[in-house]
Amino acid sequence: MVWLGLYFFFNLGLTLYNKIILALYDFPFPWTLTAIHTFCGAVGSYVFWRAEIFTPADLGKRENMIMIAFSVLYTINIAISNVSLNLVTVPFHQVVRAMTPVFTVMLSIMFLHKSYSTMTYISLCPVIFGVGFATFGDYDYTMLGFVLTVLGTVLAAIKTVVTNRVQVGKLKLHPLDLLLRMSPLAFIQTMMYSYITGEMEMVSEFVQTRFSWSLFFALLINGVIAFFLNVVSFTANKKTSALTMTVAGNVKQVLSIILAVIIFNLTITYMNLLGILLTLAGGAWYT
């Protein structure tokens, strides 16, 4: 429970930081921001390794290939999510992503031969439908957007399951060890996506015309928070389960809405409020 609490703290903290601080600088470069996160993840985990906080495992060729595949999965998941958001409305995107626990259960049953109690299945219903009510709004999408959003949801479930397996399966990697191996690869891949999409050229122009040291430190702090979020997220995944983390992800969505209501005076409907209460009740029931 402590690690889940820290997961909510850093996740919501990063969300609020992005909205309050980065919005001031109008920094609309998702791939560059992700590259900063992965770079800070690489540097942070390296510092912890040199400080002898953990000892990297001795992996063979096959295990290293798994790490490469995991980093590719990480960046492709972000890429598809970014693309799909341009093809569907945010409420539709959030509703589909709320189905991540369902895909996690399906993957765990099919490939890991896990079984769940009837009460677990029942407790997932308010968590999933609650997000639908909490984010109820303009549901508009294209067919390609629908396909990509569903694909992104499936990939998010796969990523969560794989994250759990590489830490509790045969590899039994320390969370910081996993971050040390994954982050440099993911950084290279996000920079490649930035170049391919033309974002790198726009960032270069942005730096030449609007760069400031206050922006530099704002992005640096953002990367540091993201590093600790990754450490806490990986650790929580290892100590709980992939399904628990996807349920926590849904609960985090409605907690973000609650904070937005409190801090930004966001107006919500009674249906949104019902969804928030359903999700919170479902999360408590699942726990």
Side-chain angles (χ1 to χ4, degrees):
M1 289 299 293
V2 173
W3 287 105
L4 281 177
L6 288 172
Y7 166 77
F8 285 125
F9 175 78
F10 280 106
N11 209 319
L12 293 170
L14 185 63
T15 300
L16 287 175
Y17 186 88
N18 284 340
K19 287 182 177 296
I20 296 173
I21 303 298
L22 296 183
L24 296 176
Y25 298 99
D26 188 22
F27 193 78
F29 306 114
W31 284 119
T32 304
L33 192 59
T34 305
I36 292 171
H37 290 177
T38 53
F39 179 77
C40 288
V43 173
S45 54
Y46 178 79
V47 170
F48 275 54
W49 169 36
R50 301 308 297 177
E52 300 183 351
I53 302 296
F54 73 100
T55 302
D58 186 17
L59 302 184
K61 183 177 180 181
R62 180 177 177 276
E63 289 79 8
N64 282 319
M65 290 303 295
I66 292 175
M67 288 296 100
I68 294 174
F70 180 77
S71 67
V72 172
L73 173 64
Y74 175 85
T75 50
I76 287 180
N77 179 45
I78 296 172
I80 290 180
S81 179
N82 286 339
V83 173
S84 63
L85 267 173
N86 293 323
L87 301 172
V88 302
T89 56
V90 172
F92 179 82
H93 188 268
Q94 290 177 314
V95 166
V96 175
R97 296 286 288 197
M99 296 295 292
T100 306
V102 174
F103 291 116
T104 302
V105 168
M106 293 170 60
L107 290 167
S108 298
I109 292 174
M110 287 188 296
F111 297 105
L112 302 179
H113 308 293
K114 284 192 173 184
S115 60
Y116 299 94
S117 66
T118 303
M119 292 304 292
T120 298
Y121 290 121
I122 295 175
S123 68
L124 291 178
C125 292
V127 173
I128 294 168
F129 290 114
V131 173
F133 289 130
T135 60
F136 183 79
D138 180 22
Y139 294 145
D140 188 26
Y141 59 92
T142 64
M143 181 53 65
L144 177 59
F146 173 79
V147 171
L148 288 177
T149 304
V150 172
L151 178 59
T153 305
V154 174
L155 289 176
I158 294 173
K159 180 178 72 98
T160 307
V161 171
V162 172
T163 300
N164 182 264
R165 295 313 300 168
V166 298
Q167 295 185 102
V168 302
K170 292 181 179 179
L171 294 180
K172 288 185 171 57
L173 293 180
H174 188 282
L176 284 165
D177 193 2
L178 176 58
L179 196 59
L180 176 66
R181 297 174 189 278
M182 185 273 292
S183 295
L185 297 170
F187 171 73
I188 293 171
Q189 291 159 24
T190 50
M191 292 300 289
M192 288 173 59
Y193 280 118
S194 177
Y195 177 78
I196 293 171
T197 58
E199 182 181 294
M200 188 177 291
E201 185 176 346
M202 290 187 289
V203 171
S204 177
E205 182 180 343
F206 180 91
V207 169
Q208 293 176 16
T209 57
R210 300 173 60 183
F211 174 81
S212 66
W213 283 107
S214 60
L215 171 61
F216 172 82
F217 285 111
L219 293 174
L220 179 61
I221 294 172
N222 184 271
V224 171
I225 296 174
F227 164 69
F228 283 107
L229 171 60
N230 277 322
V231 174
V232 167
S233 178
F234 287 166
T235 304
N237 193 320
K238 181 177 183 177
K239 292 183 177 294
T240 57
S241 68
L243 180 58
T244 298
M245 293 308 297
T246 56
V247 171
N250 280 17
V251 174
K252 189 272 296 183
Q253 280 198 53
V254 300
L255 290 177
S256 297
I257 296 173
I258 293 174
L259 285 177
V261 170
I262 296 172
I263 298 175
F264 303 109
N265 295 319
L266 178 71
T267 303
I268 59 173
T269 65
Y270 286 111
M271 183 176 292
N272 299 143
L273 179 61
L274 172 63
I276 291 171
L277 296 176
L278 270 176
T279 305
L280 295 177
W285 187 4
Y286 173 85
T287 304

